[in-house]
Amino acid sequence: MDLPLIWFLLIAVLWIGYLVLEGFDFGVGMLIPILGRNDKERRVLINTIGPVWDGNEVWLLTAGGATFAAFPEWYATLFSGFYLPLLLILVALIVRICGFEYRGKINDAKWTAWWDRAIIFGSWLPAVLWGVAFANIVRGVNLDANHNYVGGFFALLNPFALLGGVVTALLFLMHGAVFLALKVDGDLRVRANRFAGKAAIAATVAAGVWAVWAQAAFANRAWTWAIVAVAAISLLAVIFTNAKGREGLAFIFSAVAIAAAVVLIFGAIFPNVMPATNPDYSLTIRNASSTDYTLTVMTWVAVALVPIVLIYQSWTYWVFRKRLRTEHIPAPAGLSLTKQTSQAAV
């Protein structure tokens, strides 16, 4: 196995890490208006991901950085061709960060409601657009002989890609609900458990249709059917274990289902990194990779730094492992908007 192939596999692993970890915090953000009946419950939901959501985004930065360094032509084609969707994802992530940071700064119902909307928007939009982007990569895009994307924005909104967006949104809703059932207690836990069952059924149906479509039309490999089977069994196991109240097992199976989806995507495009509608213009692992020297340096850096990231993240999850209840949420500590206005008038 040579270095370009190793880095193709490592980038797949980074995307698995990102979508499994950020997938549940997207799901929690999407569920705020569904499960949070009042401000205290919405604060419980946000606090379940408060200590970990920014650490989860490290996987996205690492995946993007690794793609840039290991496969610069793939990075250039991807970011120029998918410029608008990726820009929208970036804007949504920034808006979501602002929601987390500013929501509790001022004690005012309208203030918190607007930042709740920011978190919800910043969770739903990336959840859908990541599915649209990956589905287009599996389907193949219109590249010219110089590997430039020439299809236009609306060509990305084809039925297969839009179904991919629905699938990722449903998977993240299920993943987030299972995570909440594992992390909260009381009535909120019951509601999260109930919602997770419904979301798992919907995700199983939608993901099943998309996976069979991808296999039949674009993958054409026998071994990736085994990955489809793993994903299907995992989703059915989520439904079963969640119904039995085994939230820990349900979360593991939910994570396996998302990981299997990423393996299916990378398995479907292999040995390409960016398939083209004209196969002669496809970007492959070979023609898109950096030099062996660059990949060797990257490998040593990864060997030194990845264990540190894994240890730090594991420690974070261990420290904040306890279940949360509404009784654990203190009184709001933000500034009073009314008082600030009066003082300003004086």
Side-chain angles (χ1 to χ4, degrees), residues 141-207:
V141 291
N142 194 2
L143 303 181
D144 64 15
N146 295 316
H147 306 306
N148 294 317
Y149 176 68
V150 292
F153 172 71
F154 290 103
L156 300 176
L157 303 179
N158 53 79
F160 179 73
L162 293 175
L163 179 59
V166 171
V167 169
T168 48
L170 289 173
L171 285 174
F172 294 161
L173 269 176
M174 172 197 71
H175 202 38
V178 171
F179 176 77
L180 285 173
L182 184 64
K183 284 292 295 178
V184 301
D185 216 342
D187 185 50
L188 202 48
R189 176 184 177 183
V190 174
R191 276 183 272 141
N193 182 281
R194 196 180 302 144
F195 186 89
K198 296 175 184 173
I201 293 171
T204 303
V205 174

Side-chain angles (χ1 to χ4, degrees), residues 89-259:
I89 289 174
L90 180 62
V91 170
L93 292 178
I94 292 172
V95 168
R96 195 171 80 119
I97 291 170
C98 293
F100 286 133
E101 295 294 334
Y102 289 107
R103 184 186 189 282
K105 300 296 184 187
I106 293 178
N107 295 330
D108 179 79
K110 289 183 179 177
W111 175 271
T112 54
W114 275 107
W115 289 118
D116 281 347
R117 293 186 189 103
I119 296 171
I120 296 162
F121 166 80
S123 300
W124 271 98
L125 192 63
V128 172
L129 289 182
W130 280 129
V132 172
F134 276 113
N136 272 298
I137 292 174
V138 170
R139 181 176 178 268
V141 291
N142 194 2
L143 303 181
D144 64 15
N146 295 316
H147 306 306
N148 294 317
Y149 176 68
V150 292
F153 172 71
F154 290 103
L156 300 176
L157 303 179
N158 53 79
F160 179 73
L162 293 175
L163 179 59
V166 171
V167 169
T168 48
L170 289 173
L171 285 174
F172 294 161
L173 269 176
M174 172 197 71
H175 202 38
V178 171
F179 176 77
L180 285 173
L182 184 64
K183 284 292 295 178
V184 301
D185 216 342
D187 185 50
L188 202 48
R189 176 184 177 183
V190 174
R191 276 183 272 141
N193 182 281
R194 196 180 302 144
F195 186 89
K198 296 175 184 173
I201 293 171
T204 303
V205 174
V209 172
W210 186 86
V212 170
W213 190 351
Q215 274 293 110
F218 308 111
N220 296 319
R221 288 185 180 85
W223 70 269
T224 46
W225 279 110
I227 305 302
V228 175
V230 170
I233 292 169
S234 300
L235 288 169
L236 293 173
V238 173
I239 298 171
F240 178 77
T241 52
N242 182 71
K244 295 291 183 184
R246 303 288 302 274
E247 289 102 348
L249 276 177
F251 185 74
I252 291 171
F253 284 121
S254 178
V256 171
I258 293 174

Side-chain angles (χ1 to χ4, degrees), residues 30 33 65 82 89 112 133 138 142 169 211 232 247 266 276 283 287 303 317 321 337:
M30 295 154 76
F82 292 4
I89 289 174
T112 54
V138 170
N142 194 2
E247 289 102 348
F266 278 78
L283 275 169
N287 67 19
V303 168
Y317 280 94
R321 67 187 181 280
L337 188 61

